[in-house]
Amino acid sequence: MQPNDIPYSKYRIEWMDILSDSGWATDKEFHRMKLAFPVNEGWLFSKDRYTIKMFASYDKDEDTKELTFGDRTMIPLACVKKMIKIKWWMRLGMLTT
């Protein structure tokens, strides 16, 4: 059990993203253009056949216990290279992956 009071697990997502540039470039500059490989860490909100939805911050109402989500990201599943579940004890430095 994670030491938090929300029903979501933490993940590290490594994925591939497009890169675009609306400026002018030479053919050499164009050849050097590379894809981006971002890393997101946060709680996994949902995953289906096409997408992963995650969030990096949340607020829990003291009275209603309702959650609101911030720093939300939706990633196409086809772009995901690696998904690693982050255990709470890994964050404490007790064990590495």
Side-chain angles (χ1 to χ4, degrees):
M1 183 73 177
Q2 293 187 134
N4 63 41
D5 58 350
I6 62 171
Y8 301 97
S9 296
K10 274 195 150 179
Y11 278 85
R12 175 186 171 95
I13 310 293
E14 298 176 13
W15 57 291
M16 179 175 52
D17 198 5
I18 65 168
L19 181 67
S20 63
D21 183 349
S22 62
W24 293 97
T26 66
D27 60 341
K28 290 178 185 175
E29 292 169 320
F30 209 168
H31 282 293
R32 286 193 300 262
M33 196 173 197
K34 304 281 185 214
L35 293 171
F37 291 91
V39 174
N40 286 63
E41 286 190 9
W43 289 273
L44 183 65
F45 181 77
S46 66
K47 178 183 171 189
D48 61 28
R49 290 177 48 200
Y50 304 105
T51 62
I52 289 174
K53 293 180 184 177
M54 59 188 312
F55 59 96
S57 59
Y58 66 91
D59 183 47
K60 188 172 186 178
D61 186 281
E62 290 181 22
D63 298 324
T64 66
K65 307 299 183 210
E66 182 178 31
L67 291 174
T68 53
F69 306 96
D71 303 307
R72 298 172 298 145
T73 304
M74 185 174 181
I75 303 169
L77 194 57
C79 294
V80 173
K81 296 298 177 188
K82 188 186 277 188
M83 268 183 84
I84 303 167
K85 189 171 186 176
I86 300 171
K87 310 275 196 246
W88 66 269
W89 37 264
M90 289 177 180
R91 283 291 191 196
L92 297 175
M94 298 165 77
L95 186 66
T96 59
T97 57

